[in-house]
Amino acid sequence: MAIVESTVTVLAACAVIGSLAVGLAVPGAWLIARNRRARSGLFALLASLLALPLLLPSYLAYAGYSIIRSPGTWLGDTLAKLPTDLNVAANKATAGFGLALWLYPLASVPLIVGFSKISQESIDALKLAGAGRLTITRHILAMSRGALLAAFGLVCIVLLGSAVPLHLAQVGTPAIDAWTKLSLGQTVSAHLAITPLLAVAGLIAGGLW
């Protein structure tokens, strides 16, 4: 039962964080895709800035949040007056947002490829037909469904591994469960704890392939 509960928890976290990471990646990926034929220096600069978060530790945002909410700070004193459940929820939300900030450059890769396939002529045709920005955006996202799903799946595969911020936020994950069982010498139980996630990761990887 614990295996199922922790697996469901991680899958739910993957769905939320993956969606957030893809949402964060869309603007930068679109900018790079539309400027791919510009001067190589500009393209390299945009790509470098987009990839920058991947060079930083995955737990950096969560660690920074932990500092500003430490006892004696305004935020820390405010949170201390709140119910415990709200504090726990804030920790989990910050861990999730930190992971999304770290992983959105990875989501940008399939998005850049997908957006690059959208011709300027099709966008101009929508404008000539009197379509507004919202309608054009909706059509672009519809034409990029495959890229959006690939970006979401790519982020989820990484999250199914060791998501350090989730561990720091004390979110029960199969990885933690497996490490605990291994430390107790329960090798078979440890393998059983991680099997459901390996199966899900295999299905996602097969879909991306």
Side-chain angles (χ1 to χ4, degrees):
M1 190 66 181
I3 296 175
V4 175
E5 185 178 346
S6 61
T7 301
V8 171
T9 299
V10 170
L11 291 178
C14 285
V16 175
I17 297 169
S19 300
L20 182 57
V22 172
L24 290 172
V26 165
W30 177 256
L31 184 63
I32 289 178
R34 304 323 290 176
N35 287 280
R36 68 190 187 282
R37 294 190 181 90
R39 291 179 300 175
S40 58
L42 175 61
F43 181 86
L45 176 62
L46 291 174
S48 300
L49 290 175
L50 189 66
L52 187 60
L54 282 177
L55 303 178
L56 303 174
S58 61
Y59 52 84
L60 185 63
Y62 184 83
Y65 169 72
S66 299
I67 293 175
I68 64 173
R69 71 178 179 89
S70 58
T73 63
W74 173 83
L75 183 58
D77 292 342
T78 301
L79 290 175
K81 299 174 184 177
L82 299 176
T84 304
D85 290 345
L86 287 179
N87 271 309
V88 173
N91 287 341
K92 292 179 179 180
T94 305
F97 186 68
L99 271 174
L101 283 176
W102 177 57
L103 286 172
Y104 85 84
L106 193 62
S108 300
V109 176
L111 290 179
I112 291 172
V113 175
F115 289 155
S116 296
K117 295 179 180 178
I118 299 175
S119 65
Q120 185 61 44
E121 287 75 13
S122 61
I123 298 175
D124 291 339
L126 287 171
K127 291 179 179 178
L128 288 173
R133 289 187 178 182
L134 187 60
T135 302
I136 293 174
T137 301
R138 192 163 58 243
H139 276 81
I140 289 172
L141 293 178
M143 289 186 285
S144 308
R145 266 194 304 266
L148 291 168
L149 289 174
F152 179 79
L154 199 58
V155 171
C156 284
I157 285 180
V158 175
L159 286 174
L160 290 176
S162 178
V164 177
L166 292 181
H167 300 163
L168 293 176
Q170 299 178 354
V171 176
T173 65
I176 286 292
D177 192 26
W179 274 112
T180 301
K181 286 179 168 57
L182 282 174
S183 65
L184 296 174
Q186 301 173 4
T187 308
V188 176
S189 297
H191 282 87
L192 289 175
I194 209 69
T195 298
L197 282 189
L198 289 176
V200 173
L203 290 173
I204 296 175
L208 290 177
W209 184 263

